[in-house]
Amino acid sequence: MTAFLIRRLLGIAGTLLVICAVTFTIFYLLPSDPAVQFCGKDCAPDQIALVRKQMGLDAPLIVQFGRYVLAIFAGRTMGTGQYAVHCGFPCFGYSFQSGRPVWDLMMDRLPTSFSLAIGAAACWLLLGLGAGVVSALRKNTWVDRTVMVATIGAAAVPVYFTAMILLYVVVTVLGLIPYPRYVDFSVDPVGWAQNLLLPWITLALATAAMYARMTRSSVIETLAEPYVRTARAKGLRERKVVGKHGLRPALTAVATMLGMDLGSLLAGAMITESLFGLPGVGKLFADSLNKSDQPVVMGITLLASFFIVTSNLVVDLLYAWIDPRARLS
């Protein structure tokens, strides 16, 4: 297990380094000049040249990349003389728009994205796994066909359309809840859940459909295994046969999918956060992309990559607990 963890951690470090290098190169090749964005379009050419020197943009690409990577782990002093600014660990640079450290901007928005991701994941797991198991146990019946048609319809509806319908019906027409706005959990737990309910449902309806179909096929395949027939022949209750011998091994495929989806959500659900006005990482990414705020966009890209590769590692470690057969391999 130790050797496995070391190999995976080295693989994660290598993957993040490659993503960082590719992203850094793309921004370097863009026609927009970071010095002009930082200084402003009204700056004189000599002022822009001074800003480029202070930002280290006059150095070769490999040198700039090395400074950027080193700053993430050790911090960095940007500029010289009276213009010197120390960026502490971990340093992802400063926003061109607000002048704040990129790390601080991301950490301010992360609780919102974390709340959205955890709640939505719980909703779609509950709906998806429940619908998939029911459909598998009622295979080729009207229940099975109804559930599958409903999942296809839910998956076909775009997220922004679902969000607008929920806002119009629940907020505008029925007036059941006010327009969603993020409330910190520590301040008002009830308000926190109430304001995130519609975003949770929006994400859950689209994603639960895929989990339901995957759970159905996995459970049907598992229940046809010889050891399941043996368990039934031994006289075990059907609930135990389905829960322990049927559903648990089928969860390996679901766990893989959950790792990818949850990692992506932790990095921000850009469309959902923008539609509901939630101050999450996804909305920050969208706003920074529109304003060509390169340090923020690059920092969020690395943060998203970190969540995705880390969630995959956690899923691999959970395999042994979900399916004991994975321990043998």
Side-chain angles (χ1 to χ4, degrees):
M1 179 62 73
T2 303
F4 169 76
L5 282 176
I6 293 175
R7 288 196 303 269
R8 289 307 306 269
L9 290 175
L10 290 176
I12 288 175
T15 302
L16 292 177
L17 185 62
V18 171
I19 294 174
C20 183
V22 172
T23 309
F24 194 89
T25 304
I26 291 175
F27 280 121
Y28 183 85
L29 297 176
L30 288 177
S32 58
D33 190 346
V36 176
Q37 297 180 39
F38 187 82
C39 184
K41 296 182 179 180
D42 297 332
C43 286
D46 56 339
Q47 293 177 308
I48 295 177
L50 179 61
V51 171
R52 286 182 60 83
K53 183 177 180 180
Q54 293 290 335
M55 297 176 65
L57 299 175
D58 55 342
L61 175 62
I62 187 65
V63 175
Q64 294 185 43
F65 177 70
R67 291 172 178 171
Y68 184 83
V69 174
L70 184 62
I72 296 177
F73 299 97
R76 177 184 176 186
T77 299
M78 308 178 68
T80 58
Q82 60 178 335
Y83 302 103
V85 177
H86 180 71
C87 181
F89 159 84
C91 179
F92 289 89
Y94 288 84
S95 168
F96 291 158
Q97 301 297 322
S98 64
R100 293 185 60 196
V102 174
W103 177 256
D104 292 348
L105 289 173
M106 295 191 298
M107 291 303 102
D108 287 346
R109 304 293 188 99
L110 192 58
T112 305
S113 296
F114 185 81
S115 300
L116 179 61
I118 297 302
C123 290
W124 80 53
L125 279 177
L126 182 64
L127 293 174
L129 292 180
V133 171
V134 170
S135 184
L137 296 179
R138 300 292 186 270
K139 183 178 65 171
N140 297 328
T141 64
W142 68 270
V143 176
D144 180 24
R145 288 190 288 270
T146 301
V147 171
M148 288 300 100
V149 170
T151 56
I152 293 174
V157 179
V159 172
Y160 62 85
F161 182 78
T162 304
M164 289 188 294
I165 292 297
L166 288 175
L167 284 172
Y168 177 73
V169 174
V170 178
V171 177
T172 305
V173 177
L174 300 178
L176 297 178
I177 58 176
Y179 191 89
R181 61 182 181 85
Y182 182 71
V183 177
D184 192 84
F185 179 82
S186 60
V187 176
D188 184 6
V190 176
W192 171 83
Q194 185 183 48
N195 283 278
L196 288 174
L197 182 60
L198 293 185
W200 286 345
I201 296 175
T202 300
L203 288 173
L205 287 178
T207 313
M210 298 182 289
Y211 282 79
R213 297 180 66 85
M214 178 175 290
T215 302
R216 175 187 180 274
S217 60
S218 299
V219 171
I220 290 175
E221 181 181 353
T222 305
L223 290 179
E225 294 288 338
Y227 68 87
V228 176
R229 292 197 298 268
T230 302
R232 283 173 170 157
K234 289 166 59 178
L236 293 180
R237 294 182 179 179
E238 186 66 15
R239 179 180 299 179
K240 188 172 183 180
V241 171
V242 174
K244 183 177 180 180
H245 299 286
L247 178 60
R248 186 171 176 177
L251 288 178
T252 54
V254 175
T256 302
M257 197 172 182
L258 177 63
M260 294 293 294
D261 291 337
L262 190 57
S264 301
L265 272 185
L266 286 173
M270 185 164 56
I271 296 177
T272 305
E273 290 178 2
S274 298
L275 287 172
F276 288 99
L278 299 176
V281 178
K283 190 174 188 304
L284 176 63
F285 182 84
D287 295 341
S288 301
L289 198 61
N290 291 331
K291 298 176 181 178
S292 298
D293 200 343
Q294 297 177 6
V296 179
V297 173
M298 188 164 178
I300 296 176
T301 302
L302 291 178
L303 184 69
S305 304
F306 173 78
F307 280 134
I308 291 174
V309 297
T310 303
S311 61
N312 284 328
L313 174 61
V314 173
V315 167
D316 288 343
L317 295 177
L318 287 176
Y319 274 171
W321 177 78
I322 294 174
D323 190 352
R325 294 173 298 180
R327 301 171 192 169
L328 298 178
S329 59

